[in-house]
Amino acid sequence: MNNDDTQNDSLEEFEEDVTEYIGKDEHSKSLALPQQMMPRRMYVLPVSNRPFFPAQVQPIVVNQNPWQETLKRVGETDHKVMGICFVEEQEAEGDTPASEQLEAVGCAVRVHHAQNESGKVQFIAQGLQRFRIVQWLRRKPPYLVEVEYPAEPEEDADELKAYTLAIISSIKELLRTNPLYGEDVKQYLSRFGPDDSSPLADFGASMTSAPGNELQDVLDTVPLLRRMEKVLLLMRKEQEVAKLQSEISEEVNAKVQKHQREFFLKEQLKVIQRELGMAKDDKTADVERFQERMAELNPPEAVQERFNDEVEKLQVLEQGSPEYGVTRNYLDWLTQVPWGVHSEDHFDLAEARRILDRDHDGLDDVKDRIIEFLAEGTFKGEVSGSILLLVGPPGVGKTSIGHSVADALGRKFYRFSVGGMRDEAEIKGHRRTYIGAMPGKFVQALKDSKVANPVIMLDEIDKIGASFQGDPASALLETLDPEQNRDFLDHYLDVRMDLSKVLFICTANQLDTIPRPLLDRMDVIRLSGYIAEEKLAIAKHFLLPRLLKRAGLLKKQLNITDAAIKQVIEGYAREAGVRSLEKLLHKILRKGIVKLLDNPDQPVKVGVSDLQSYLGQPSFKKEKSLKGTGVVTGLAWTAMGGATLSIEASRIHSSQRGFKLTGQLGDVMKESAEIAYSYVSSNLKRYKGDPTFFDKSFVHLHVPEGATPKDGPSAGVTMATALLSIARREAPQQNIAMTGELTLTGQVLPVGGIREKVIAARRQKISNLILPEANRGDYEELPEYLKEGLVVNFAKHYSDVFQVCFGNKPRKGSSVH
């Protein structure tokens, strides 16, 4: 007999007893068996899962230690009765609870068939009656207590009948939703009838999965009506849980049946289609798809041979084999590389110049260099054999220049950053033996661009790293060498690829961290940054219109004057690029939008006087050039695009010879200062100073802004002029700034960053400059608007600097040593 039959029999038997109970009159209902005699003293056993009820018959398993002695003593009694009390909290299994932890109300049970097995004692407990502990006679196992049996007060018969019917109805509902309750119902019916209201209430409570404290509350409740109310509430909750569980089960079964049905129908459809010749199996479909892809390409002979070999292998492999998935993925990649597919280059230099001018303001020298590169490609009919490296500070437009070059050539553009890359497999690919193996970035670039000659940009190549997984910079040597990349080998594909038609454009912020062998393979183009006029044009033509469009604003709604933009450039964003400038303009727009929302009809106009309310105090104050004896203005290159630097020299005392340097100077600047000190000391007579001045003078040379580290070979002539000024006790000419490195023989050596230094001088309105003669060509290449109004003196020897600064010629003759 199955579970459903057992459930139905129990339900029918239960309903018959219910019918019989409903037909009884009050006199027959009042008849009852005489109460059994119960002991006043009994041993007590704690249980921690849930309380035991008088209507239950259930096996119980406890540890032999320490409860075997309790069961032994119970077995020696005539009545075989003991008490079971609930313990709500027990720290760990096997711990002996204190007597205070046991609930005062428990259930007296008769013990049947006690037996030992594997360190446990198992017995069947037959619930008899509630008891309440009156006195503890022994508080250690075996627990012994004196008890009383509370009597149930008389209740209204009609109410009891109504509650009894409600509990019976709930039990019937639970039987329908969960057939596991059928056995419990049969055990109950073998001992009680439906007219036994008190056992019925306890039985209803025992059927629920309520927590132990709620069941103990039912056990504590002696008045029958109150107890039945609590039991009905617990059974209603149980019905809801059972109903929800049944709904979930039905929903899951429905989904499983639906999926099974769909699976069988699909399998049947595949078999029918295959029998009728209307469809192919998955393996055949894969092979045909790969063959169709390769037929559209023009692969080299070696690639075609490898493809044929792999297809043959795929055809003999079982689809469930791991090797099948590996081979299939390999063929998928091999057939997506655009073998022999090239896009046609557009060799139109005028159009290229228009695109570069459209996308960038300024950078004329960079544009000219790119036009030269494109002109060379036009002359020979293809652009290949050269790898461009754009070097410059952040925010000057290196990446966007790569986009412009791709647009000018009409080629696909693919960019990826190698900054922080530490695994050479990112470049050369993984071998197929590894799980999850993939080709390198260059194969992925060709796949995504769908042509064999895209423009590939390698961003942040100066930040490439190395680790135990290999050296990606060394892996790039084969890729970026025009003589080697014709036969580039990716470890995953394991066939030679021709990357010579690809135009590689790399970007970097500096050259120092790029490995020299890699740098030798690149054509370096420097982007020195923008001057204020160029930044103003960029802000007006590119940045501001883009920000307005992004914010959904019209120019008439929010207008920033040219003077305000120029003040933002000078006072808040002096860096070489325009990234900070764009952020500051965005900040102005955000604050302007707030005002527009408050007053939509009033356009917002931002002038110079409004900037502090939008951006706060300027980050850069106007630099004031220091004046006086021993003070000289130098020119320095910085990441911000160039700055003026006042160098001060002073005689501290005349008691002894000495020389002190301050101002966070690096090793190179310290050496420049020592050279200047030695040169001026040995040539004081020539430059009309006291030859013994430094013999009895302690001199202090300081470069202001000591919190900022400074280093570089461009301050030699400036330091020498400051030292000569204090030795001659004469201030140099005003409104002069200089740069250049000095040797011990007085030769003025060339320096870098001429463009930035000239910009810094113009910012300070210094119109008289001293530059090394060797930098004349760098100055001549500057735009005319940058040179306008400047008087530039070129110096080969320090005597040329002396003549400009002090207005007379040095004495003829040899140096004084």
Side-chain angles (χ1 to χ4, degrees):
M1 182 180 293
N2 57 26
N3 290 336
D4 293 339
D5 295 336
T6 302
Q7 176 189 355
N8 293 333
D9 293 344
S10 301
L11 188 58
E12 291 173 1
E13 184 178 355
F14 196 73
E15 288 177 344
E16 290 174 1
D17 290 337
V18 169
T19 305
E20 181 182 354
Y21 163 71
I22 295 173
K24 290 181 179 181
D25 57 15
E26 295 300 325
H27 298 289
S28 62
K29 181 175 180 296
S30 63
L31 296 177
L33 294 174
Q35 183 179 4
Q36 296 178 343
M37 297 299 294
M38 301 294 292
R40 292 296 175 181
R41 293 184 179 184
M42 68 175 68
Y43 292 98
V44 176
L45 183 72
V47 293
S48 59
N49 294 332
R50 50 193 283 137
F52 204 92
F53 285 91
Q56 284 184 275
V57 177
Q58 184 175 322
I60 294 180
V61 180
V62 296
N63 294 324
Q64 285 185 359
N65 185 20
W67 308 117
Q68 185 175 12
E69 181 64 23
T70 301
L71 290 166
K72 179 180 178 183
R73 295 192 182 190
V74 171
E76 293 173 352
T77 63
D78 294 334
H79 48 73
K80 304 295 188 295
V81 174
M82 73 172 181
I84 293 182
C85 292
F86 176 63
V87 179
E88 185 171 358
E89 295 183 1
Q90 194 167 353
E91 294 184 359
E93 185 178 355
D95 290 350
T96 303
S99 59
E100 293 80 4
Q101 293 179 272
L102 274 66
E103 295 287 346
V105 177
C107 179
V109 302
R110 179 165 283 115
V111 178
H112 300 279
H113 307 297
Q115 57 185 359
N116 298 332
E117 184 178 351
S118 302
K120 302 285 186 180
V121 179
Q122 180 175 350
F123 62 94
I124 295 175
Q126 177 187 0
L128 300 175
Q129 192 171 348
R130 278 176 178 74
F131 69 84
R132 181 181 292 112
I133 298 175
V134 177
Q135 183 180 358
W136 280 86
L137 303 178
R138 178 181 173 86
R139 291 184 176 272
K140 293 183 179 180
Y143 297 126
L144 183 62
V145 296
E146 184 175 328
V147 301
E148 66 176 5
Y149 300 94
E152 297 177 2
E154 289 292 331
E155 304 283 1
D156 182 80
D158 293 334
E159 286 191 60
L160 281 178
K161 186 174 182 179
Y163 274 108
T164 302
L165 290 175
I167 292 177
I168 291 172
S169 177
S170 298
I171 293 175
K172 290 165 63 178
E173 186 68 28
L174 286 176
L175 275 173
R176 291 191 182 93
T177 56
N178 192 343
L180 296 178
Y181 293 131
E183 191 64 31
D184 294 337
V185 171
K186 289 180 68 176
Q187 289 182 1
Y188 172 80
L189 291 175
S190 67
R191 300 175 56 208
F192 305 100
D195 58 337
D196 298 324
S197 300
S198 180
L200 183 66
D202 292 338
F203 174 69
S206 67
M207 289 181 67
T208 67
S209 58
N213 58 345
E214 294 184 7
L215 294 176
Q216 181 64 37
D217 184 35
V218 174
L219 192 63
D220 291 342
T221 306
V222 177
L224 190 52
L225 284 178
R226 284 177 52 203
R227 192 193 326 158
M228 295 177 95
E229 287 178 4
K230 294 180 180 181
V231 170
L232 275 174
L233 181 60
L234 295 181
M235 297 191 75
R236 289 283 185 270
K237 292 181 180 178
E238 193 72 17
Q239 288 174 16
E240 293 297 326
V241 172
K243 184 178 179 182
L244 180 60
Q245 183 179 1
S246 177
E247 291 176 355
I248 293 173
S249 178
E250 289 177 2
E251 184 177 352
V252 171
N253 290 336
K255 288 183 179 179
V256 170
Q257 292 172 1
K258 179 181 178 182
H259 291 161
Q260 288 179 338
R261 182 171 178 271
E262 290 178 354
F263 173 77
F264 288 127
L265 288 175
K266 287 179 180 178
E267 290 301 315
Q268 291 175 357
L269 182 61
K270 287 180 181 179
V271 173
I272 293 172
Q273 289 177 336
R274 192 161 52 245
E275 291 295 329
L276 295 176
M278 299 170 60
K280 308 173 182 66
D281 59 12
D282 293 339
K283 184 192 297 186
T284 305
D286 287 340
V287 170
E288 290 187 359
R289 182 169 69 254
F290 296 145
Q291 289 174 339
E292 289 173 3
R293 285 185 190 172
M294 191 59 78
E296 297 175 357
L297 305 175
N298 185 22
E301 184 178 349
V303 175
Q304 187 66 50
E305 290 178 0
R306 172 62 64 86
F307 171 77
N308 295 336
D309 293 342
E310 295 294 330
V311 167
E312 290 179 6
K313 183 197 297 185
L314 188 71
Q315 289 174 332
V316 299
L317 288 172
E318 292 295 331
Q319 285 185 267
S321 168
E323 186 68 18
Y324 181 87
V326 173
T327 305
R328 183 188 179 282
N329 289 340
Y330 176 80
L331 286 170
D332 190 33
W333 275 103
L334 188 67
T335 55
Q336 291 193 74
V337 176
W339 304 103
V341 179
H342 299 84
S343 61
E344 185 177 352
D345 291 335
H346 299 163
F347 295 117
D348 188 341
L349 297 185
E351 178 66 12
R353 170 67 76 174
R354 187 192 67 78
I355 291 175
L356 290 172
D357 290 338
R358 178 198 68 190
D359 296 341
H360 302 87
D361 269 325
L363 300 179
D364 291 333
D365 51 345
V366 177
K367 294 177 184 177
D368 292 341
R369 176 64 187 84
I370 292 174
I371 291 297
E372 294 167 7
F373 170 75
L374 297 178
E376 181 184 5
T378 303
F379 188 77
K380 66 179 181 180
E382 64 175 358
V383 175
S384 62
S386 181
I387 289 87
L388 301 181
L389 173 60
L390 304 176
V391 182
V396 295
K398 301 185 292 295
T399 304
S400 58
I401 285 178
H403 280 280
S404 300
V405 172
D407 289 344
L409 284 172
R411 289 193 180 189
K412 296 292 183 65
F413 181 82
Y414 185 90
R415 172 198 165 274
F416 68 93
S417 175
V418 296
M421 185 181 290
R422 295 180 177 273
D423 188 357
E424 68 175 15
E426 295 281 340
I427 304 296
K428 303 270 290 182
H430 304 83
R431 300 192 184 278
R432 274 202 286 168
T433 52
Y434 297 116
I435 295 175
M438 290 185 65
K441 288 289 187 182
F442 295 106
V443 175
Q444 297 180 36
L446 297 183
K447 172 197 168 187
D448 291 348
S449 58
K450 295 182 174 57
V451 290
N453 62 337
V455 175
I456 297 180
M457 171 163 280
L458 282 68
D459 241 341
E460 312 293 349
I461 200 169
D462 56 326
K463 299 176 182 62
I464 198 168
S467 69
F468 67 94
Q469 294 170 313
D471 184 5
S474 299
L476 281 174
L477 294 176
E478 179 187 3
T479 308
L480 300 183
D481 190 339
E483 299 301 323
Q484 298 183 44
N485 61 14
R486 299 177 183 277
D487 295 316
F488 174 74
L489 181 65
D490 183 88
H491 289 158
Y492 181 82
L493 294 183
D494 201 25
V495 290
R496 299 288 176 178
M497 301 175 60
D498 184 6
L499 297 182
S500 62
K501 306 300 182 184
V502 176
L503 174 57
F504 293 100
I505 301 179
C506 307
T507 70
N509 297 129
Q510 56 186 4
L511 299 177
D512 300 344
T513 56
I514 301 177
R516 184 58 54 183
L518 187 59
L519 186 60
D520 289 342
R521 288 164 167 78
M522 303 180 189
D523 192 358
V524 178
I525 301 177
R526 295 183 179 272
L527 288 77
S528 56
Y530 301 105
I531 62 174
E533 288 80 3
E534 291 173 333
K535 284 187 177 182
L536 178 61
I538 292 171
K540 291 171 60 179
H541 299 156
F542 296 100
L543 303 182
L544 200 53
R546 183 168 63 192
L547 290 171
L548 289 171
K549 182 179 180 181
R550 192 183 300 167
L553 291 171
L554 299 176
K555 191 173 181 180
K556 63 181 180 180
Q557 291 177 295
L558 195 150
N559 182 36
I560 306 176
T561 64
D562 291 355
I565 297 176
K566 192 169 184 179
Q567 178 59 28
V568 172
I569 295 168
E570 295 288 347
Y572 299 87
R574 285 191 187 176
E575 81 286 350
V578 293
R579 197 164 286 150
S580 293
L581 176 59
E582 183 175 12
K583 292 179 181 177
L584 291 167
L585 293 175
H586 192 196
K587 185 176 182 179
I588 294 174
L589 257 64
R590 291 198 306 267
K591 292 182 179 294
I593 290 173
V594 174
K595 293 185 176 181
L596 278 174
L597 292 176
D598 292 338
N599 192 356
D601 298 328
Q602 182 65 35
V604 176
K605 184 174 182 180
V606 181
V608 176
S609 59
D610 304 317
L611 287 181
Q612 288 195 17
S613 63
Y614 284 88
L615 302 177
Q617 291 295 325
S619 304
F620 302 94
K621 304 292 184 181
K622 186 175 181 181
E623 301 169 3
K624 293 183 179 180
S625 300
L626 302 178
K627 301 177 182 180
T629 303
V631 180
V632 182
T633 301
L635 297 174
W637 179 91
T638 69
M640 308 301 288
T644 57
L645 209 61
S646 295
I647 295 179
E648 303 172 320
S650 177
R651 182 184 187 184
I652 305 304
H653 58 76
S654 57
S655 60
Q656 63 178 3
R657 182 185 181 94
F659 185 54
K660 182 179 181 180
L661 288 171
T662 56
Q664 278 274 55
L665 305 182
D667 292 337
V668 176
M669 285 196 75
K670 287 179 181 177
E671 290 183 0
S672 297
E674 296 287 351
I675 292 170
Y677 180 76
S678 299
Y679 176 76
V680 173
S681 299
S682 61
N683 290 276
L684 268 177
K685 185 176 181 181
R686 181 181 181 187
Y687 293 113
K688 302 175 183 179
D690 181 4
T692 63
F693 176 81
F694 289 106
D695 295 336
K696 51 188 176 182
S697 300
F698 189 90
V699 176
H700 185 174
L701 186 69
H702 175 64
V703 183
E705 298 184 16
T708 305
K710 295 172 278 291
D711 200 13
S714 63
V717 295
T718 314
M719 293 177 173
T721 305
L723 293 171
L724 189 57
S725 174
I726 62 170
R728 287 171 51 89
R729 297 180 177 86
E730 178 185 351
Q733 295 281 346
Q734 300 302 314
N735 198 31
I736 291 180
M738 63 189 71
T739 184
E741 188 54 36
L742 191 64
T743 68
L744 281 174
T745 58
Q747 302 298 318
V748 180
L749 301 181
V751 294
I754 296 298
R755 178 189 179 101
E756 288 81 3
K757 293 174 180 178
V758 171
I759 293 171
R762 292 187 67 92
R763 186 185 300 127
Q764 294 303 111
K765 297 183 170 51
I766 298 175
S767 58
N768 203 346
L769 306 181
I770 299 176
L771 303 178
E773 175 65 34
N775 289 115
R776 184 187 291 269
D778 297 328
Y779 177 78
E780 296 295 338
E781 291 179 357
L782 296 179
E784 290 299 325
Y785 65 85
L786 199 57
K787 298 186 288 185
E788 184 180 355
L790 295 181
V791 177
V792 180
N793 305 277
F794 295 96
K796 290 183 179 179
H797 191 271
Y798 183 75
S799 57
D800 300 329
V801 179
F802 174 78
Q803 185 174 354
V804 174
C805 290
F806 296 98
N808 51 19
K809 294 183 179 180
R811 294 177 181 174
K812 294 182 180 180
S814 59
S815 300
V816 179
H817 298 282

